[in-house]
Amino acid sequence: MPDINTVNRPDEWKIEQGLSGAVLPVLDMTGPETKALAPQTFGPLTKDEDAIKSVGDRDALFKAERKGWKGFVEWENHPDKKAAAHKILTSQTFPPNPEYQLGPIPATNPVLPGTHWKMWHHAVGGELTQIPEDSWDTVLREKHPDMLHLLQFPYNGEPPKRLVTDKVITPNSLHFVRNHGGIPMIDKEDYSFTLDGLVQNPRSFTLDDLMDESKFPRMEKTVTMQCSGTRRIEQITKYAGQGDEVPQAPWAEGAIGTANYVGVSLKKVVKACGGLIDGAKHLEFDGADTYFKDDEVMNYLVSVPWSKVKANEVLLAWEMNGETLPRIHGYPLRIVVLGYIGARSVKWLYRVKAIREPSRAPVQSKEYLYFPQQVGKHNLKMTDGIQIQEMPVSSAITSPWTKQVVIHNGRIRCKGWAYSGGGRWPERVELSTDGGFNWYTIPLESLSRKRKWTWRTWEFDLPCDVEGWIEIVCRCRDNALNTQPPDVRTAWNWGLHVTS
Amino acid sequence: MPDINTVNRPDEWKIEQGLSGAVLPVLDMTGPETKALAPQTFGPLTKDEDAIKSVGDRDALFKAERKGWKGFVEWENHPDKKAAAHKILTSQTFPPNPEYQLGPIPATNPVLPGTHWKMWHHAVGGELTQIPEDSWDTVLREKHPDMLHLLQFPYNGEPPKRLVTDKVITPNSLHFVRNHGGIPMIDKEDYSFTLDGLVQNPRSFTLDDLMDESKFPRMEKTVTMQCSGTRRIEQITKYAGQGDEVPQAPWAEGAIGTANYVGVSLKKVVKACGGLIDGAKHLEFDGADTYFKDDEVMNYLVSVPWSKVKANEVLLAWEMNGETLPRIHGYPLRIVVLGYIGARSVKWLYRVKAIREPSRAPVQSKEYLYFPQQVGKHNLKMTDGIQIQEMPVSSAITSPWTKQVVIHNGRIRCKGWAYSGGGRWPERVELSTDGGFNWYTIPLESLSRKRKWTWRTWEFDLPCDVEGWIEIVCRCRDNALNTQPPDVRTAWNWGLHVTS
């Protein structure tokens, strides 16, 4: 073979056909000439030991805050601690996020290890040192062995498809988990949280205070919780996002679960503080988990409007499906916001703060945003996004699976769920074998019972008169008669949220 | 030309191509052989004068009920009157509904005269005799001369497209009207309504009672009202219904309007009666208009759940956009249900009744139902339908129009509205020139202001780089991120409701 001068790569055909998107250069067409930006490369990890040492003793800086609260650092009232952690993080480099979205998804379980998150925790040290290991031990202790671990740390996991709709009430060990940080280990006896900010009489509450039925009526609610990233995998495989820490969780149909929670209404607790003052309109919830946003360290913070709390739709819960709240789900006390995305239901609550405007914390104002088609990570303005609170109506098929071969006699047994956010409920679920031209209505007796804040699971023998490839799709109409767009593309947004 | 034996009709090619659907026989394939059912034919109108005479003096039977209430007959508490009217109606025949849906739509204004409705009124006589004429006089007096009169009687009319979104608040003379019967002429001085059924202390209220601010706090709300048949014309022209009195109103984009209403919350009035008793869960509203359901006569009755009333979302209104409520909109007092379809906002209210179950009256339980694809008028079960209360998210383009030729320099000026029922609001409106593959977001400053119970109107210069036929479509995401199905077929139901 003569020595021909070529720029072909060995796997040229695969690259040209889009089967190795991750190695393609980014094309910048904003100028008169197209520039091919080479994929970002990362040199060896660096570490400025002197700079880090100058910050001081990490065990003293980030020591245990309270007796019985292991793995908790209070960042929000401590700019000094935040600055120290920032200095430590910026004095060294960490491995990048794996941009697997444009390449193959790892075939492991856990799918992604979360290496850089673990390293961040170890780098800051002190109370955070042991968290990655403690959290994973908690997963193994509290969750079902068949869970699909999408991200090992912070833990993100969902049940396998065959177990998602197996029961109308999801067993605790199979309920999906979307953690944004590690799991703090808090003793019930030493637990309390503070309610302050713009309230008449700020004060703290222990669990015993809340459980005193002479002061707070007990509240029990069966609630479906859904992550706004549910079924993101369908977008990843068809129209990927643009590589970011957000789509680290390649959720499928299992990022939804239903449980019975027991606790008290937050409204009553606010009233016990004499009510809101000075134009307070929102309540911020502070979680004891530590959240890393690039090189900034903070607690997990979000907010909901007072109108939601006032309607008795925000619960302080200590019990889940008749059991003590599992550690991985927020023990000893978590928020449960009825009909909102799971991200608002803060776990390991240590503070509630009445404020005037929605929280400016990044989880509220920079993440869980729904962007238009024109917006990506290269031209992002945060105010272009809609803050995702309620989820739209959606439904999913849990059996049969994509590309599965089915032998049938004119009927295909199908299973799945349907859900609508904001307290709306599925009124009708329909299935089609022709991609959505003709629709069969699932009889009401084949749907689980209608309840204001929950999904409905279903099973149906779908008539089908063809061999060969068919496209089974489902759709739901909720009680406001909203329904779903028919294909994944219509929902595309670079954060890959809200796949309905 | 030799005499060839042919079964061809003169306009055979037009019939075969579906351009004259109305003359096609119905094919009944439920048996082993296909039967071609000839289109229904109607003989000459018949009338059994003796039978009608035997009913008695119509002027005495159906006389004025109350001083100052012209054109009002109270049917609901009078089975004797209902039976007399039924006897009169079944002792003669009336012309059928024009089944124009499968044929050409009349090019007149009014589009449809409502001949059989007028004849029904004249046949019953008494207080109903003058109603068709009085109602049309009211239309001419109160509505804008440019209104599109879809049905002359009962009056159904909408503003022309160019005026629908001309103002964010729709002027009274241009607000759409969907009446189900004639307009009773009620004097304000003689007006009162009764609140009874399952309440502690049933009683009547005059307008002066309600306007007494020491008893009832004044309530003012800007509200968008929408008919569930909005944009039915798109279904009629593409996938018609099955011929019925329901689709008599071939609504376009104008069956929606926004007005400022002043009145009191119905909740406070129920409280003034000592509250609900004995498991009452719904409130039925009785309108003074007479409604004909085939050969049965009744008042216009619907109901809403108590939970809706309790949330202060049901108004008793006497003022519309700073003016006394027009007669055609329910003078002197009407119900306004925030975020529900217009059909629940009863006009000319004469009674509110607390009941245990939703009203069994036909408007509530047999109409305004949303059926699945398998259900038509030939195999109908009422319980297959969902009672339409809240409308789903929707949006419409009011300019340019379908098949209009546009000369442009890369941008097409577009106008329209967006709305979502149940108190949700449009968060984002998008336009596409390619039928919905690429979407442009309308900047927030080009949308009218966000308000809980109202639509948002919009104007946008849409980028467009092609000549030739283009398909401009719009979609809306509301605050629960619900959006719209992309084509008319996905919404098909035989009553042609809920075209979103």
Side-chain angles (χ1 to χ4, degrees):
Chain A
M1 192 101 161
D3 189 21
I4 299 172
N5 190 11
T6 176
V7 294
N8 269 8
R9 287 151 291 192
D11 55 347
E12 184 71 26
W13 70 271
K14 231 177 141 181
I15 296 170
E16 287 183 2
Q17 295 309 316
L19 301 172
S20 300
V23 304
L24 286 175
V26 171
L27 297 181
D28 180 355
M29 302 183 179
T30 56
E33 304 279 324
T34 295
K35 276 187 257 176
L37 309 178
Q40 221 179 331
T41 53
F42 295 86
L45 302 186
T46 62
K47 199 166 182 181
D48 182 344
E49 296 284 2
D50 288 343
I52 292 169
K53 199 171 254 175
S54 76
V55 172
D57 176 7
R58 298 178 303 147
D59 286 341
L61 278 169
F62 313 118
K63 65 174 190 295
E65 297 277 334
R66 308 185 188 182
K67 180 175 161 287
W69 290 54
K70 189 180 176 212
F72 168 50
V73 179
E74 216 278 9
W75 302 100
E76 295 313 309
N77 273 342
H78 298 280
D80 51 322
K81 285 194 215 172
K82 284 189 173 186
H86 179 68
K87 175 99 193 251
I88 292 171
L89 292 172
T90 50
S91 300
Q92 55 193 309
T93 58
F94 298 91
N97 285 328
E99 299 225 358
Y100 67 90
Q101 286 188 75
L102 299 168
I105 294 177
T108 49
N109 190 29
V111 176
L112 302 166
T115 308
H116 59 292
W117 285 87
K118 293 177 190 166
M119 289 175 75
W120 284 339
H121 278 70
H122 293 148
V124 171
E127 274 301 293
L128 301 191
T129 313
Q130 196 52 35
I131 282 189
E133 290 68 26
D134 282 355
S135 296
W136 183 240
D137 287 346
T138 308
V139 173
L140 298 179
R141 203 169 50 243
E142 295 189 336
K143 302 310 283 187
H144 195 285
D146 290 350
M147 283 290 280
L148 305 175
H149 310 303
L150 304 181
L151 179 61
Q152 189 179 31
F153 183 79
Y155 183 68
N156 282 227
E158 67 181 320
K161 233 186 257 206
R162 74 191 150 79
L163 296 179
V164 172
T165 51
D166 192 44
K167 299 196 165 64
V168 177
I169 306 290
T170 318
N172 289 350
S173 67
L174 282 167
H175 198 290
F176 87 94
V177 178
R178 197 285 181 246
N179 283 344
H180 295 75
I183 302 170
M185 302 290 163
I186 304 170
D187 291 345
K188 191 177 159 181
E189 296 66 37
D190 298 315
Y191 177 77
S192 69
F193 74 94
T194 309
L195 204 163
D196 61 5
L198 304 173
V199 294
Q200 194 68 49
N201 309 305
R203 55 164 285 203
S204 286
F205 296 87
T206 64
L207 271 191
D208 284 344
D209 292 336
L210 299 185
M211 288 176 178
D212 180 349
E213 289 195 70
S214 72
K215 288 182 196 152
F216 301 109
R218 202 60 56 92
M219 190 171 160
E220 185 172 347
K221 282 277 172 195
T222 304
V223 181
T224 294
M225 213 175 273
Q226 190 186 18
C227 178
S228 67
T230 312
R231 297 173 56 208
R232 175 181 284 149
I233 186 74
E234 296 171 43
Q235 296 208 36
I236 290 175
T237 49
K238 218 166 169 187
Y239 304 103
Q242 289 166 18
D244 189 78
E245 83 276 10
V246 178
Q248 288 260 10
W251 296 112
E253 292 83 354
I256 186 168
T258 302
N260 187 271
Y261 297 94
V262 172
V264 299
S265 172
L266 175 57
K267 180 189 188 177
K268 312 283 179 192
V269 183
V270 172
K271 294 283 176 204
C273 295
L276 302 183
I277 54 169
D278 286 347
K281 288 239 171 108
H282 295 262
L283 290 164
E284 186 177 71
F285 308 136
D286 299 11
D289 39 343
T290 289
Y291 183 61
F292 286 80
K293 180 76 179 169
D294 304 319
D295 47 23
E296 306 287 346
V297 186
M298 60 204 81
N299 295 104
Y300 183 82
L301 260 64
V302 297
S303 69
V304 301
W306 165 243
S307 59
K308 187 79 183 163
V309 177
K310 200 177 159 197
N312 286 311
E313 292 173 5
V314 180
L315 200 63
L316 296 166
W318 58 76
E319 193 183 300
M320 184 177 181
N321 290 333
E323 297 167 14
T324 306
L325 198 62
R327 284 196 183 275
I328 202 166
H329 286 288
Y331 177 90
L333 192 74
R334 75 173 297 174
I335 295 280
V336 175
V337 184
L338 312 188
Y340 273 20
I341 57 168
R344 309 297 171 223
S345 291
V346 170
K347 301 167 180 177
W348 316 288
L349 183 74
Y350 79 88
R351 185 184 189 191
V352 175
K353 189 178 166 192
I355 54 181
R356 284 195 190 90
E357 302 283 333
S359 174
R360 290 177 184 234
V363 178
Q364 188 75 28
S365 63
K366 297 188 180 170
E367 300 172 22
Y368 295 98
L369 296 176
Y370 189 74
F371 288 102
Q373 258 191 358
Q374 282 73 21
V375 173
K377 76 169 178 177
H378 302 284
N379 67 342
L380 185 65
K381 268 196 309 177
M382 288 305 171
T383 48
D384 285 338
I386 305 171
Q387 287 189 8
I388 307 171
Q389 305 273 51
E390 298 178 6
M391 281 292 275
V393 60
S394 65
S395 55
I397 300 165
T398 54
S399 174
W401 300 350
T402 302
K403 298 194 181 174
Q404 184 159 34
V405 175
V406 175
I407 304 167
H408 65 88
N409 281 321
R411 291 197 169 254
I412 296 175
R413 257 160 251 139
C414 298
K415 295 181 190 184
W417 54 258
Y419 171 71
S420 187
R424 290 171 294 284
W425 55 83
E427 275 283 353
R428 179 179 297 158
V429 186
E430 293 171 297
L431 282 163
S432 165
T433 54
D434 55 14
F437 195 79
N438 293 305
W439 293 95
Y440 287 89
T441 301
I442 302 177
L444 287 183
E445 58 270 24
S446 303
L447 298 177
S448 66
R449 166 177 164 218
K450 177 161 96 180
R451 268 191 291 220
K452 183 162 188 191
W453 301 104
T454 72
W455 68 2
R456 300 179 83 169
T457 58
W458 50 266
E459 281 195 48
F460 184 55
D461 283 357
L462 176 64
C464 176
D465 299 322
V466 289
E467 274 293 331
W469 285 107
I470 59 169
E471 192 183 345
I472 305 181
V473 289
C474 65
R475 70 174 182 190
C476 172
R477 287 257 177 199
D478 68 11
N479 60 311
L481 296 173
N482 278 303
T483 190
Q484 310 165 229
D487 59 66
V488 170
R489 187 182 159 85
T490 58
W492 189 88
N493 60 106
W494 79 276
L496 303 186
H497 287 285
V498 191
T499 311
S500 63
Chain B
M1 192 94 160
D3 188 21
I4 299 172
N5 190 13
T6 175
V7 293
N8 268 10
R9 288 151 289 193
D11 54 347
E12 184 70 28
W13 70 270
K14 230 177 139 179
I15 296 170
E16 287 183 2
Q17 295 308 317
L19 302 172
S20 300
V23 305
L24 285 175
V26 171
L27 297 182
D28 180 355
M29 302 182 180
T30 55
E33 304 281 321
T34 296
K35 276 185 259 179
L37 310 177
Q40 222 180 329
T41 54
F42 295 88
L45 302 185
T46 63
K47 199 167 180 180
D48 182 344
E49 296 285 2
D50 289 342
I52 292 168
K53 200 170 251 172
S54 76
V55 172
D57 177 8
R58 297 178 303 150
D59 285 341
L61 278 169
F62 313 118
K63 63 175 193 293
E65 298 277 335
R66 310 185 187 181
K67 180 176 160 287
W69 289 55
K70 191 181 175 212
F72 169 50
V73 179
E74 214 279 10
W75 301 100
E76 295 313 310
N77 273 341
H78 299 281
D80 52 321
K81 286 194 217 173
K82 284 191 172 185
H86 178 68
K87 176 98 191 249
I88 292 170
L89 292 172
T90 51
S91 300
Q92 55 192 306
T93 57
F94 298 91
N97 285 326
E99 299 225 358
Y100 67 91
Q101 287 188 74
L102 299 168
I105 294 177
T108 49
N109 190 30
V111 177
L112 302 166
T115 308
H116 59 292
W117 285 87
K118 292 175 189 166
M119 289 175 74
W120 285 338
H121 278 70
H122 294 147
V124 171
E127 274 302 293
L128 302 191
T129 313
Q130 197 52 35
I131 282 190
E133 290 68 27
D134 282 355
S135 296
W136 184 239
D137 287 347
T138 308
V139 173
L140 298 178
R141 203 169 51 243
E142 295 189 339
K143 302 310 285 186
H144 195 285
D146 290 350
M147 283 289 281
L148 306 176
H149 310 303
L150 304 181
L151 179 61
Q152 189 179 30
F153 182 77
Y155 183 68
N156 281 226
E158 66 181 321
K161 232 185 260 207
R162 74 191 151 80
L163 296 179
V164 173
T165 50
D166 192 44
K167 298 197 164 64
V168 176
I169 305 290
T170 318
N172 290 350
S173 67
L174 282 166
H175 198 289
F176 86 97
V177 178
R178 196 285 181 245
N179 284 344
H180 295 76
I183 302 170
M185 302 290 163
I186 304 171
D187 291 345
K188 191 177 159 180
E189 295 66 36
D190 299 316
Y191 177 77
S192 70
F193 74 94
T194 309
L195 203 163
D196 61 5
L198 304 174
V199 293
Q200 194 69 49
N201 309 304
R203 56 164 285 203
S204 287
F205 296 86
T206 64
L207 271 190
D208 283 344
D209 291 336
L210 299 185
M211 289 176 176
D212 180 348
E213 291 195 70
S214 71
K215 287 182 197 151
F216 301 109
R218 203 59 57 92
M219 190 171 161
E220 186 172 347
K221 281 279 171 190
T222 305
V223 181
T224 294
M225 215 176 273
Q226 190 187 19
C227 178
S228 66
T230 312
R231 297 172 56 207
R232 175 181 284 149
I233 186 72
E234 296 171 42
Q235 296 209 35
I236 291 174
T237 50
K238 215 164 171 189
Y239 304 103
Q242 290 165 20
D244 190 76
E245 82 277 13
V246 177
Q248 288 259 10
W251 296 113
E253 292 83 354
I256 186 169
T258 302
N260 187 271
Y261 297 93
V262 172
V264 299
S265 172
L266 175 56
K267 180 188 188 177
K268 311 283 181 194
V269 183
V270 172
K271 295 281 177 207
C273 294
L276 302 184
I277 55 170
D278 286 346
K281 288 240 170 106
H282 295 262
L283 290 164
E284 187 177 70
F285 308 136
D286 299 12
D289 40 344
T290 290
Y291 183 62
F292 286 80
K293 180 75 180 169
D294 304 317
D295 47 23
E296 306 286 347
V297 187
M298 61 203 80
N299 295 105
Y300 183 82
L301 260 65
V302 297
S303 69
V304 302
W306 165 243
S307 58
K308 187 80 183 161
V309 177
K310 201 176 159 196
N312 287 310
E313 292 172 6
V314 180
L315 201 62
L316 295 165
W318 57 75
E319 192 183 300
M320 184 175 179
N321 290 334
E323 296 167 14
T324 306
L325 198 61
R327 286 196 182 276
I328 203 166
H329 287 288
Y331 177 88
L333 192 72
R334 75 174 296 172
I335 296 281
V336 175
V337 184
L338 312 188
Y340 274 19
I341 57 168
R344 309 296 171 224
S345 290
V346 170
K347 301 168 179 176
W348 316 288
L349 183 75
Y350 79 88
R351 186 186 189 189
V352 175
K353 190 179 165 191
I355 54 181
R356 284 195 190 91
E357 303 284 332
S359 174
R360 291 177 183 236
V363 178
Q364 188 75 29
S365 63
K366 297 187 179 170
E367 300 171 22
Y368 296 97
L369 296 175
Y370 189 73
F371 288 102
Q373 258 192 357
Q374 282 73 21
V375 174
K377 76 169 175 174
H378 303 283
N379 67 342
L380 184 65
K381 269 195 307 176
M382 289 304 171
T383 48
D384 285 339
I386 306 171
Q387 287 189 6
I388 308 171
Q389 304 273 53
E390 298 178 6
M391 281 292 276
V393 61
S394 64
S395 55
I397 301 166
T398 54
S399 175
W401 300 348
T402 302
K403 299 194 179 173
Q404 185 159 35
V405 175
V406 175
I407 304 166
H408 64 89
N409 281 322
R411 292 199 168 252
I412 296 176
R413 257 161 252 138
C414 298
K415 293 182 190 184
W417 54 257
Y419 171 71
S420 187
R424 291 171 292 284
W425 55 84
E427 275 282 353
R428 177 180 299 159
V429 186
E430 293 170 297
L431 282 163
S432 165
T433 53
D434 54 14
F437 195 80
N438 292 305
W439 293 95
Y440 288 90
T441 301
I442 302 176
L444 287 182
E445 58 270 24
S446 303
L447 297 178
S448 65
R449 133 166 195 241
K450 177 161 94 179
R451 267 191 292 219
K452 182 162 188 188
W453 302 103
T454 73
W455 68 4
R456 300 179 83 169
T457 58
W458 50 265
E459 281 194 48
F460 183 56
D461 283 356
L462 176 65
C464 175
D465 299 322
V466 288
E467 274 292 332
W469 285 107
I470 59 167
E471 191 183 345
I472 306 182
V473 288
C474 66
R475 71 175 181 189
C476 172
R477 288 258 176 198
D478 69 11
N479 60 311
L481 296 173
N482 278 302
T483 189
Q484 311 165 228
D487 59 68
V488 169
R489 187 182 160 84
T490 59
W492 189 88
N493 61 106
W494 79 276
L496 303 187
H497 287 285
V498 190
T499 311
S500 64

